Amino acid sequence: MKSSIHEQETIAVKPFKHLILASVAAAACAAMGTASAQTPGYPGKPIRFVVGFSAGNSIDSVARIIAQHITSKTGQAVVVDNKTGANGMLAAAEVARAQPDGYTILISNSSTITVNPSLYKKMSYDVKRDFAPVSLVVSVPFILTVNPQNDPVGTAPNLKAMLDLAKARPGAYSYGSAGVGNLTQLSYELLNGMAGVKMTHVAYRGTAPAQVAVLAKEVDSTFDNPSSVPKIKAGQLRALAVTSAQRWHELPDVPTIAEAGYPGFDISFWVGALAPAQTPPAIVKTLSDLIATAAQDPEVKAKLAQQGNIRMLAPQQFETQIDSETRQYADIIRKANIALSE
């Protein structure tokens, strides 16, 4: 309180000096790009969310939930523009070239941002150079599933027992993925390396065909997405573990892979927002703060929770996660010698 009174006295006695110092400080902050205050007047016109996937996709669903929330908070329309193709890379390339004014925002996923740079030799964007991370929104674990009717893998009491079977017979057991280089394959390759096993990889065109393959006993296991929960609860599939650091709220009795004996295992599929590089930090912060308020609205929060674990990360935290995951997936891809045919 004493320092506060002293400050007030200084301002009263020397107002012009105070104004000059404040102006100099503000100019310095602007020059350094460290402005922390939110930008007055933003948003002053409609914002466009560019989504690299089709309407109805989980990424599109998150984009529309956040778009509606921002519209309700600001009165400005947020338009969702689905620009599909090339595993989200067409949308990313468009936003990378957009004006850095906060009105064209990419809503994307971990595959497009942290996996593709290590899979594709030629890309029309560079994540580090071309984007300013705004906010992570939700993250979703994968679920390691087996067919309980498929002995011996499906009847193994736990994950370690299943991997012990695979260790005893290298290459004899198989896993299905949603495609070469997909996070479901990277998750299994990481697990194989940590457990010292070799399972045969069979790539499918999506998680749904991989799930069907497990049910048909074409493959022994897969990393499925939460759409498998009804079949797990019905007993058609067994869940041995989830890939995230925390248990999945839909399957509270299923351990994480780390809990199952492989400490440090942590992979999730996330959805987040990124702006073009050079977008003013104050605008990035304003947009990040607007997105974060979605977690404080009970109705919006409930909708987001249906899409995954709500995990709002501020810009710097989100950037740190992107950097860390990019290194992790590059290492997995290199060690497993994963390459795309095109």
Side-chain angles (χ1 to χ4, degrees):
M1 179 64 72
K2 187 174 181 180
S3 62
S4 177
I5 293 173
H6 176 71
E7 289 171 2
Q8 291 171 7
E9 290 173 347
T10 302
I11 292 170
V13 175
K14 302 177 180 179
F16 294 107
K17 181 178 180 181
H18 171 74
L19 290 173
I20 291 170
L21 289 174
S23 298
V24 171
C29 285
M32 295 173 62
T34 56
S36 59
Q38 294 185 355
T39 303
Y42 175 81
K45 62 180 182 179
I47 298 172
R48 185 166 70 108
F49 279 179
V50 182
V51 180
F53 302 88
S54 59
N57 179 282
S58 60
I59 302 152
D60 172 78
S61 296
V62 171
R64 292 178 187 279
I65 293 168
I66 294 297
Q68 290 174 2
H69 173 71
I70 292 176
T71 296
S72 70
K73 295 287 286 186
T74 66
Q76 284 292 344
V78 181
V79 180
V80 176
D81 183 2
N82 298 94
K83 189 177 183 66
T84 62
N87 194 21
M89 292 193 291
L90 292 182
E94 179 175 321
V95 175
R97 297 189 299 267
Q99 284 292 325
D101 55 8
Y103 291 99
T104 304
I105 302 299
L106 177 67
I107 305 298
S108 194
N109 64 353
S110 42
S111 292
T112 303
I113 301 301
T114 62
V115 177
N116 284 357
S118 294
L119 283 178
Y120 293 88
K121 293 180 180 179
K122 294 182 180 180
M123 290 177 56
S124 55
Y125 62 91
D126 180 285
V127 173
K128 195 72 176 173
R129 180 194 66 208
D130 295 333
F131 294 105
V134 174
S135 176
L136 190 149
V137 182
V138 298
S139 64
V140 186
F142 295 109
I143 306 165
L144 198 157
T145 59
V146 295
N147 185 335
Q149 305 300 319
N150 187 18
D151 189 58
V153 171
T155 57
N158 52 47
L159 176 62
K160 191 173 185 309
M162 189 205 81
L163 292 172
D164 284 344
L165 289 170
K167 195 169 187 177
R169 298 182 61 196
Y173 299 105
S174 59
Y175 74 90
S177 79
V180 174
N182 186 275
L183 272 174
T184 53
Q185 182 190 10
L186 302 191
S187 297
Y188 233 120
E189 290 300 334
L190 177 60
L191 181 59
N192 284 346
M194 294 177 75
V197 305
K198 180 172 179 55
M199 297 182 72
T200 299
H201 174 223
V202 181
Y204 293 90
R205 297 178 65 85
T207 52
Q211 182 188 105
V212 171
V214 172
L215 291 167
K217 303 182 185 179
E218 291 178 8
V219 292
D220 294 297
S221 63
T222 190
F223 274 120
D224 212 334
N225 61 34
S227 68
S228 63
V229 170
K231 288 185 174 61
I232 292 168
K233 292 183 175 180
Q236 295 172 278
L237 293 170
R238 277 186 64 216
L240 296 184
V242 295
T243 60
S244 53
Q246 293 81 35
R247 294 192 180 197
W248 174 240
H249 60 81
E250 292 282 346
L251 299 169
D253 296 328
V254 177
T256 66
I257 289 177
E259 290 176 319
Y262 304 94
F265 194 105
D266 181 12
I267 289 181
S268 290
F269 174 88
W270 52 253
V271 179
L274 300 96
Q278 307 307 316
T279 300
I283 289 180
V284 171
K285 183 180 187 304
T286 297
L287 185 57
S288 180
D289 289 348
L290 280 170
I291 292 172
T293 60
Q296 300 165 10
D297 183 307
E299 184 177 345
V300 180
K301 184 177 180 180
K303 291 178 181 178
L304 284 176
Q306 292 176 353
Q307 303 300 321
N309 289 320
I310 298 172
R311 190 162 176 253
M312 303 289 182
L313 291 185
Q316 186 57 55
Q317 295 172 305
F318 189 24
E319 181 176 17
T320 298
Q321 175 156 330
I322 288 172
D323 291 344
S324 176
E325 286 188 8
T326 300
R327 291 191 298 269
Q328 178 188 29
Y329 297 143
D331 187 57
I332 296 171
I333 289 167
R334 179 181 57 81
K335 288 179 178 177
N337 195 28
I338 298 171
L340 297 178
S341 57
E342 60 266 30

